[in-house]
Amino acid sequence: MMLTQQFSDIALADTLFVFALEAEAGNLFTGMNTVFTGIGKVNAAIGLTKAIQQRKPKLIVNLGSAGSQGHGKGSLVCCTRFVQRDMDVTPLGFARYQTPLSEIPVVLEYGVALPGIAQGICGSGDSFEVNHGQAPYDVVDMEAYVLALIARGEGIPFVCLKYISDDAGDDAANDWSVQVHLAAEAFKRVLLD
C-alpha cells in the first residue's frame, strides 16, 4: 500500500480522502475516512474546513478527475504545485493568477510527490476549462488549489492525485462523463492495493 509505505507514521484512519463527487470514489472507498465536498473552490473550502475541524486528520489525500492536454486520458498525475487559474486582477496591475494583497505565491508549492507517478501542476478554477493555451499548469480541475492552500495553512501533509478523464479540449465534457467512473479503480490500485 503506497500510502502506508510513504506515511508509515500515519494510520489509515487518520488519513482524510477528499473527493468532489461520489462518482470519483465509486464504492471502493466505502468505510474509509472520506469527504465529498461538491464541485468548485468554495464548496471544497467549506467541506474540507469542516472535515478538518471534526476529524482532525494527519494526512489529506485529494483524489479526483481532471483534464490535461499533456497527460494522456486514463493516466494518474500527482500534483505538487497549484495555480488559481481563474484569478485575474490584471486591470489593477497584478500578475495573472496572483491573489492581490496576499503572500500566496502564483504557483503554490504544497504537495507530496508519490514515487513512480508523473508529477503535474494543477490549475484550479470555477469553470470547466477547454482552452487554456499557454498556461503555467498542465492539469485542470476545480478544487485542488484551495485544498492545498488549506492543508498548508493547517500544516497537514497533502497528496493530490488526479485521474485524467479528458484532454481539456472540445470533447472534454463527453469524455469526462464516460471516464469519471474509472477514477476510483485507478486510485485504489495505486494507493491501497
Side-chain angles (χ1 to χ4, degrees):
M1 195 185 307
M2 186 177 291
L3 279 181
T4 55
Q5 290 170 357
Q6 188 152 349
F7 297 96
S8 58
D9 58 331
I10 299 175
L12 196 56
D14 291 325
T15 300
L16 179 64
F17 294 95
V18 181
F19 298 89
L21 302 170
E22 289 182 39
E24 294 168 321
N27 60 3
L28 299 174
F29 287 81
T30 302
M32 301 186 84
N33 190 12
T34 58
V35 63
F36 302 101
T37 64
I39 295 172
K41 293 183 299 181
V42 172
N43 287 330
I46 293 167
L48 181 57
T49 300
K50 284 182 180 179
I52 289 172
Q53 289 174 344
Q54 295 167 353
R55 304 179 197 183
K56 313 278 190 253
K58 294 181 180 170
L59 173 64
I60 297 170
V61 179
N62 171 228
L63 304 171
S65 55
S68 178
Q69 293 183 342
H71 299 278
K73 243 189 290 187
S75 63
L76 284 181
V77 178
C78 184
C79 296
T80 57
R81 295 180 288 166
F82 306 88
V83 173
Q84 188 170 206
R85 63 179 166 82
D86 56 359
M87 179 60 72
D88 186 354
V89 193
T90 53
L92 295 180
F94 294 94
R96 186 158 185 212
Y97 313 115
Q98 180 183 6
T99 301
L101 310 175
S102 79
E103 298 299 317
I104 302 167
V106 169
V107 178
L108 175 65
E109 295 188 33
Y110 194 77
V112 178
L114 295 180
I117 300 177
Q119 289 186 37
I121 302 172
C122 186
S124 299
D126 287 328
S127 62
F128 195 87
E129 187 166 312
V130 294
N131 53 5
H132 46 85
Q134 299 288 16
Y137 48 85
D138 57 357
V139 173
V140 178
D141 89 332
M142 298 176 77
E143 298 84 22
Y145 174 89
V146 72
L147 300 174
L149 185 63
I150 291 169
R152 182 185 83 156
E154 295 295 322
I156 302 170
F158 181 69
V159 173
C160 179
L161 277 183
K162 294 298 175 180
Y163 176 82
I164 304 304
S165 59
D166 60 80
D167 67 359
D170 292 339
D171 291 331
N174 291 332
D175 288 346
W176 179 84
S177 62
V178 170
Q179 292 284 319
V180 70
H181 304 288
L182 304 175
E185 286 289 342
F187 295 142
K188 188 159 186 172
R189 227 178 7 260
V190 168
L191 295 176
L192 305 174
D193 285 346

